[in-house]
Amino acid sequence: LENIDALGLDAVDAKILMEKGLIRSSLKPVKILGNGELNSKINITATSFSTTAKQKIEKAGGTAIVQ
């Protein structure tokens, strides 16, 4: 989560994560983990989320969208 927060975007999906070098392929499943803190409202679209990641995203006012 801290790497996603550092991007400074308000919406993130697998394509954006690949463009920013955080994942190798946007075609493979992406699971967002709850490492670090999230300080801004971000809407994140991914294949799955850890329980901690989902809690932190929602606590910051964002949404965790399962695709």
Side-chain angles (χ1 to χ4, degrees):
L1 283 177
E2 63 188 17
N3 291 335
I4 293 173
D5 193 34
L7 297 175
L9 303 173
D10 57 355
V12 174
D13 61 12
K15 184 177 177 184
I16 292 171
L17 293 175
M18 188 183 80
E19 290 172 359
K20 300 295 184 179
L22 296 176
I23 61 173
R24 291 187 200 138
S25 172
S26 63
L27 303 176
K28 294 183 178 181
V30 176
K31 182 173 185 175
I32 305 298
L33 303 177
N35 299 345
E37 294 300 319
L38 189 62
N39 299 312
S40 56
K41 178 182 173 182
I42 303 175
N43 298 321
I44 303 174
T45 303
T47 309
S48 63
F49 296 84
S50 70
T51 303
T52 307
K54 189 171 182 180
Q55 290 171 349
K56 289 180 180 182
I57 292 166
E58 291 172 351
K59 182 179 176 184
T63 55
I65 304 162
V66 177
Q67 184 178 20

